């Protein structure tokens, strides 16, 4: 299986998502989107492919979201996309794409819906178990 992750190595959710992909035996293409942001078309494809609205895909926490006035409900999707492209920290993460689809993997366990079944136990960085000894998801 081929996988691509739009990754921020400083983000625990993104690191946990990447670890789960690798735990499934897949070495994904890693795009550090803060250094190499997606094109407008690619960003639109990720958002629509994940079944989200542009507003659902914009990151508010620890970003200039409020300072830029992006909470204004009158702003168009186009204006929000332009802001996300100008300041990629506003793109929520991590987006993951596999042949099974596209997801915004928040929480990180959402990536399991895109991966082949994993039978070995897995715990996140903080020790929270996601897959138990029997290969069953816990969440």
């Amino acid at each position: 299986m081929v996988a691509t992750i739009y990754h921020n190595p400083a983000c625990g959710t993104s690191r946990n998502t990447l670890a789960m992909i690798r735990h499934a035996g897949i070495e994904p293409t890693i795009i550090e989107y803060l250094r190499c942001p997606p094109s407008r078309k690619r960003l639109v494809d990720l958002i629509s492919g994940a079944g989200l609205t542009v507003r659902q895909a914009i990151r508010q926490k620890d970003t200039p979201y409020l300072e830029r006035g992006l909470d204004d409900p009158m702003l168009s999707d186009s204006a929000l996309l332009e802001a996300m492209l100008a300041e990629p920290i506003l793109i929520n993460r991590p987006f993951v794409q596999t042949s099974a689809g596209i997801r915004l993997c928040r929480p990180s366990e959402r990536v399991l819906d895109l991966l082949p079944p994993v039978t070995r136990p897995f715990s996140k960085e903080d020790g929270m178990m996601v897959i138990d000894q029997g290969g069953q998801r816990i969440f």
Side-chain angles (χ1 to χ4, degrees), residues 4-59:
T4 300
I5 180 172
Y6 286 80
H7 180 58
N8 178 352
C11 171
T13 300
S14 196
R15 289 191 307 271
N16 283 316
T17 302
L18 177 57
M20 281 185 254
I21 294 168
R22 288 177 168 158
H23 188 75
I26 299 165
E27 185 54 41
T29 299
I30 300 169
I31 299 172
E32 290 189 28
Y33 72 94
L34 294 176
R35 290 188 7 214
C36 193
S39 68
R40 181 186 180 96
K41 180 184 181 331
R42 182 67 181 134
L43 182 57
V44 168
D45 289 348
L46 289 168
I47 293 168
S48 64
L52 301 172
T53 66
V54 174
R55 195 160 290 282
Q56 289 170 320
I58 198 164
R59 182 166 174 82

Side-chain angles (χ1 to χ4, degrees), residues 67-113:
E67 296 86 49
R68 297 269 319 265
L70 300 175
D71 58 334
D72 179 348
M74 298 305 293
L75 286 175
S76 67
D77 284 354
S78 183
L80 294 173
L81 285 167
E82 288 306 315
M84 294 163 84
L85 294 168
E87 295 185 67
I89 194 68
L90 290 164
I91 301 170
N92 216 338
R93 79 271 184 163
F95 275 96
V96 175
Q97 181 172 15
T98 71
S99 58
I102 300 171
R103 296 282 183 283
L104 173 60
C105 296
R106 297 193 76 79
S108 56
E109 297 88 337
R110 291 200 70 209
V111 75
L112 295 172
D113 296 334

